[in-house]
């Protein structure tokens, strides 16, 4: 079964968030099931630099020449993922973030840059590579949202799936951008790519794909409601029969405390001495008081509205008054960066804040912490709480989206049933959040029970295999 994944990011070559982790891990998890998977990517500099190119598949010029002289290249990543890369320097040869310039401004030709991604996907389904033609095209997020539209325009030469990693990012452009896409004129319609008078890449994908998935069962339900549907809930309700949630997994080649080369000491569920060493090393590195008497709370996150972090700013005074420590790695909204920095400045022995993006530090932080906090406003899946489970760093999360599906609260009954794995709160306010923080302290005070919950957390099956099987079954169903 030939499956083409279409994505804008791929770990470890280019990553702005969890999408890259998924694009870098799911193809590898599908291979042992018998899927022949390739990934189509835009030729951003970091992608071209990270792939051993084996040859040129085709040369073309698309979208009325907007692509410039373009080539489709084929190669393999160091992890062995087979990739097609669209080498179109006129559109992609720009350094840094794939979506916006150094001033955080979206590129004005983003509609063309990502239309080309969908266009090439549809060409591959029509034989652009005479030796490899996909039966299923699997598009990720709005960036690949036009792939199902171009496939529909070509008479559906392959089946299509779109996975929504985040409904809040929709790829909306003005009506005037539509003509350049060279889609049939009648596609600019409510029954098509039109969304409130504009052009929406995500809407296009949701409308034209044969099946829609999102990255957790709870988020699949949530996005059919006005609260979380971002205006697309009507369409998603209509397509309910073709909408499902498949939870993300953890790439255990990258995230495994027993083998993680980025840690000062390795550990596993039966040999936890290394975790204590990771905590001490982290406290040393950050200038925090070196103690194992108090829990260390950590955060690794984009600092955006989605992540609900202002509630932590409100909860931290009590957390610190109880003697706990707090360390954060993240970047994003300037006011949040500033607020967390100030907190660290005022409490240097208890709070450490690192603003920026740092893959290696994120591993040391998650390994060295006792609790990882993810208080999101909404969360399609969330990966850091899964890394927390795997690393015995108990997740403290809001009951929303994939967080609700992956963490069990330390209620008395869950403790009695030995299924508790973390701390869960309901409403995004400081009162509820602090209740969960207090539960964390209560458990911390009962060291034997803490260890049991940590063990249960580390034993959760968060590997990709089960989810890859769900995707595989879906592909089979679509081509049957
Ligand atoms: P989202 O995709 O919404 O940002 P996820 O939890 O799914 O949320 O994925 C975030 C990914 O990005 C995780 O792999 C996390 O470790 C990583 N990450 C987020 N912020 C940083 C940072 N500042 N430095 C390093 N890694 C980060
Ligand atoms: C998005 C979501 C996140 C999810 C990730 C990977 O960025 O915000 O919840 O884990 O995609 O699917």
């Amino acid at each position: 079964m030939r499956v083409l994944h279409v994505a804008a990011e791929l770990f470890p070559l280019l990553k702005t968030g969890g999408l890259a982790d998924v694009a870098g891990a799911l193809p590898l998890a599908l291979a042992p099931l018998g899927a022949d998977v390739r990934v189509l990517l835009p030729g951003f500099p970091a992608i071209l630099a990270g792939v051993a190119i084996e040859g040129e598949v085709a040369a073309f010029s698309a979208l009325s020449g907007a692509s410039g002289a373009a080539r489709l290249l084929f190669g393999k990543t160091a992890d062995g993922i087979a990739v097609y890369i669209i080498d179109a320097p006129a559109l992609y040869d720009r350094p840094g973030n794939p979506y916006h310039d150094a001033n955080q401004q979206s590129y004005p030709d983003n509609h063309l840059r990502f239309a080309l991604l969908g266009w090439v996907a549809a060409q591959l389904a029509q034989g652009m590579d005479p030796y490899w033609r996909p039966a299923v095209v699997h598009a990720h997020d709005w960036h690949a949202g036009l792939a199902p539209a171009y496939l529909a325009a070509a008479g559906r030469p392959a089946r299509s799936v779109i996975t929504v990693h985040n409904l809040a990012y929709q790829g909306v452009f003005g009506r005037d951008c539509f003509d350049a896409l060279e889609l049939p004129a009648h596609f600019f319609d409510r029954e098509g790519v039109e969304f409130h008078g504009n052009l929406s890449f995500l809407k296009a994908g949701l409308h034209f794909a044969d099946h829609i998935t999102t990255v957790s069962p709870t988020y699949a339900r949530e996005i059919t409601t006005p609260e979380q549907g971002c205006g697309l809930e009507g369409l998603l309700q209509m397509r309910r029969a073709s909408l499902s949630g498949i939870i993300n997994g953890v790439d255990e080649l990258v995230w495994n405390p027993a083998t993680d080369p980025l840690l000062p000491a390795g550990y596993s569920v039966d040999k936890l001495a290394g975790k204590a060493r990771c905590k001490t090393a982290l406290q040393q590195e950050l200038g925090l008081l070196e103690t194992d008497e108090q829990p260390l709370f950590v955060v690794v996150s984009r600092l955006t509205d989605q992540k609900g972090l202002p509630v932590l700013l409100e909860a931290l005074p009590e957390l610190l008054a109880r003697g706990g420590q707090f360390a954060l790695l993240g970047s994003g909204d300037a006011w949040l960066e500033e607020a967390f920095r100030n907190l660290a400045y005022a409490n240097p022995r208890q709070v450490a804040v690192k603003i920026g993006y740092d893959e290696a530090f994120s591993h040391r932080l998650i390994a060295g912490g006792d609790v990882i906090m993810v208080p999101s406003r909404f969360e399609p899946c969330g990966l850091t709480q899964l890394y927390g489970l795997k690393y015995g760093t108990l997740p403290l999360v809001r009951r929303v989206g994939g967080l609700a599906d992956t963490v069990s609260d330390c209620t008395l009954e869950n403790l009695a049933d030995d299924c508790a794995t973390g701390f869960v709160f309901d409403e995004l306010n400081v009162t509820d959040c602090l209740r969960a923080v207090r539960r964390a302290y209560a458990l911390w005070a009962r060291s034997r029970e803490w260890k049991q919950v940590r063990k249960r957390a580390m034993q959760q099956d968060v590997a990709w295999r089960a989810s890859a099987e769900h995707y595989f079954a879906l592909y089979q169903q679509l081509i049957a």
Side-chain angles (χ1 to χ4, degrees), residues 15 17-18 21 300-302 307 329-330 356-358 382-384 387:
K15 164 167 164 178
D21 291 356
V300 177
S301 185
R302 292 184 293 119
K307 301 297 179 179
L329 166 66
Y357 188 90
D358 187 335
L383 292 171
T384 58
Y387 302 153

Side-chain angles (χ1 to χ4, degrees), residues 76-90:
K76 285 227 175 72
T77 68
D79 296 327
I81 300 179
V83 293
Y84 290 108
I85 303 178
I86 308 170
D87 182 24

